[in-house]
Amino acid sequence: MRHNDRLKIAIQKSGRLNEGSLALLNAIGIELQIRDRLLIAHAINQPIDLLRVRDDDIPGLVMEGVVDLGFVGENELEEQMLARQVVGKSHEYKTLRRLNYGACRLSIAVPEEMHYQDVTSLNGMSVATTYPYLLERFFAKHNIQADAVCLTGSVEVAPRAGLASAICDLVGTGATLEANGLVEQEIIFNSQAVLIQHAAAPLASPKQALVEQMLCRMDGVMQAKARKYITLHAERNKLEQVQALLPGAENPTVIPLAGSDTRVAIHAVSAENVFWETMESLKALGCSSILVMPIEKMMA
Ligand code: PRT
Ligand code: ZN
C-alpha cells in the first residue's frame, strides 16, 4: 500500500489526553504497535499511522492537511484556530465527534483576598494565561479593558510572583486553584476531547470509508458506555412496574423460570446508568437476583 493511502491520525504523545485517545482507538478495534520513543506508530490490522505529538501541534497538523484526523482538546483547538486566523493561516476543520473525556474548563481565577464583584471587576487588571486569544475574545465580548499576560506554564503562581493580578487557566477539579489561594470567578470556555478532520473532507474513497467505519464503531462504544444490561427475577404481574423503573428500557426479554409459574426472568438494556436507588425500588417490588452489567460494544 502506498504511504499516502494510509490514514494519518495525530494524538497527544503523553499527557492528559493520551490514555483516553489510545483507549478509544483500542475499543474500536485498531491494534497499534507503539514504541515509546518513536513519533510514528503503525496499526497492525488497518491502514492507519499514528503521529504522536504535543497537543499544541495537533490543530495545525489537521488544518494544514499534514494528517487526516486528530484527537485534541477543544480548548487547544479553539485557541489555535483563533491564533491562526489572526495571521492568515488555514484555520478550518471539521469536528467529527465530541468524545466524553478530557473534560475541563478555562476559567478566570483571582486571589482569595481580592474583592471580586462581577466581570466588570476585571477592568484594569492583568491576567496571566497560556490562552491569550480565548481570553481576549472574552474581554472583547464583555467590553472589558484588561491585559492578557502570556505565560507558557505555571500560570497559577503568577499572582503570588507579582506577574499578574489574576489568572486564566484550565481547571479540572479545582484543587490546583485552591492550593494556590485562588478563587474561580468566570468560566470562559468548556472543553472536552474531540476528533477532528481536515476541512477538505471527504477524503479519497478508501480513506473516507475507513473514517466512516471508525465513527460508526465509536458511536457503538459511546452508546454502550451509557447503557447497562440488567437481568432480574420478578413476579410476572409486576412486569409493567419493573419496566417503569428501568430508564429507557424497551421491550425487555421475559423468560419463564424453572419451577415457578408466577416468577419470570427479565432481561433489558437500560438507556441510562442504573443507580442503587433504582435497584432498591426493584427489590421493594419483590424482584431478586438483580444484576447490572456493563455493555462493551453495541450496534443498533
Ligand atoms: O506535552 P503537551 O503539550 O502535549 O501537554 P500539555 O502539558 O500541554 O497538556 P496536558 O497533558 O496537561 O493537557 C492536555 C489537555 O487535557 C488539555 O489541553 C485539556 O484539553 C485537557 N485537560 C483536562 C486538562 C485538565 N483536564 C487539567 N486539569 N489540562 C490541564 N489541566 C491542568 C489544570 O490547569 C491544573 O493545572 O491540570 C491541573 C490540575 O487540575 P485541577 O483543577 O484538577 O487541580
Ligand atoms: Zn501542550
Side-chain angles (χ1 to χ4, degrees):
M1 177 166 285
R2 288 200 333 267
H3 177 64
N4 252 0
D5 292 340
R6 293 179 70 85
L7 190 73
K8 288 191 206 63
I9 307 177
I11 68 160
Q12 191 189 25
K13 183 167 189 282
S14 60
R16 288 191 169 80
L17 299 182
N18 171 266
E19 208 180 290
S21 308
L22 285 178
L24 185 52
L25 288 171
N26 179 43
I28 62 170
I30 296 170
E31 289 173 38
L32 293 158
Q33 206 165 38
I34 295 182
R35 295 218 196 96
D36 213 32
R37 277 172 314 186
L38 293 188
L39 171 75
I40 293 190
H42 301 291
I44 304 161
N45 59 344
Q46 296 271 25
I48 294 176
D49 292 336
L50 218 58
L51 249 83
R52 304 164 64 233
V53 293
R54 290 197 60 185
D55 68 340
D56 315 49
D57 296 333
I58 295 173
L61 287 170
V62 173
M63 290 167 190
E64 298 281 354
V66 178
V67 298
D68 303 304
L69 306 182
F71 288 88
V72 68
E74 290 173 300
N75 52 303
E76 199 60 56
L77 178 62
E78 190 78 356
E79 177 71 11
Q80 301 273 346
M81 192 273 287
L82 295 172
R84 295 175 67 89
Q85 196 171 22
V86 166
V87 293
K89 287 188 180 169
S90 54
H91 56 274
E92 281 169 8
Y93 63 90
K94 221 173 107 176
T95 298
L96 298 179
R97 291 292 183 275
R98 302 187 86 205
L99 298 172
N100 292 332
Y101 64 88
C104 58
R105 53 198 189 269
L106 185 65
S107 293
I108 295 178
V110 304
E112 53 201 6
E113 61 278 7
M114 182 186 282
H115 178 68
Y116 187 97
Q117 211 161 13
D118 58 28
V119 71
T120 60
S121 306
L122 294 168
N123 273 312
M125 278 199 200
S126 57
V127 184
T129 190
T130 39
Y131 295 88
Y133 288 96
L134 285 170
L135 180 59
E136 301 271 16
R137 185 171 74 178
F138 177 83
F139 287 158
K141 182 177 165 202
H142 293 275
N143 218 1
I144 300 293
Q145 306 298 319
D147 286 331
V149 177
C150 292
L151 295 180
T152 53
S154 306
V155 169
E156 64 280 1
V157 300
R160 231 178 250 164
L163 298 174
S165 33
I167 71 160
C168 168
D169 200 9
L170 295 177
V171 183
T173 59
T176 303
L177 292 184
E178 201 182 320
N180 286 282
L182 296 163
V183 181
E184 186 175 3
Q185 298 290 4
E186 308 285 344
I187 297 177
I188 74 168
F189 192 80
N190 279 300
S191 178
Q192 61 180 289
V194 284
L195 176 63
I196 56 168
Q197 180 165 5
H198 183 54
L203 301 159
S205 66
K207 272 194 187 181
Q208 190 62 39
L210 181 53
V211 173
E212 301 305 331
Q213 185 196 52
M214 285 174 62
L215 294 178
C216 189
R217 291 184 181 186
M218 272 181 200
D219 292 343
V221 169
M222 287 197 270
Q223 275 175 17
K225 234 183 231 167
R227 288 168 158 79
K228 297 285 175 227
Y229 193 81
I230 304 153
T231 69
L232 52 85
H233 296 173
E235 289 299 317
R236 187 185 288 277
N237 62 11
K238 293 278 167 48
L239 182 58
E240 260 181 44
Q241 283 158 281
V242 168
Q243 257 186 290
L245 282 172
L246 297 177
E250 41 182 64
N251 302 334
T253 308
V254 180
I255 310 163
L257 272 182
S260 171
D261 289 338
T262 57
R263 282 183 86 72
V264 289
I266 299 173
H267 290 203
V269 172
S270 161
E272 295 167 25
N273 205 349
V274 178
F275 296 101
W276 282 110
E277 289 76 2
T278 307
M279 293 179 72
E280 283 153 6
S281 305
L282 288 166
K283 190 145 178 64
L285 266 182
C287 299
S288 59
S289 304
I290 308 166
L291 299 180
V292 178
M293 291 163 279
I295 301 171
E296 191 183 85
K297 301 184 180 75
M298 64 186 290
M299 212 175 256

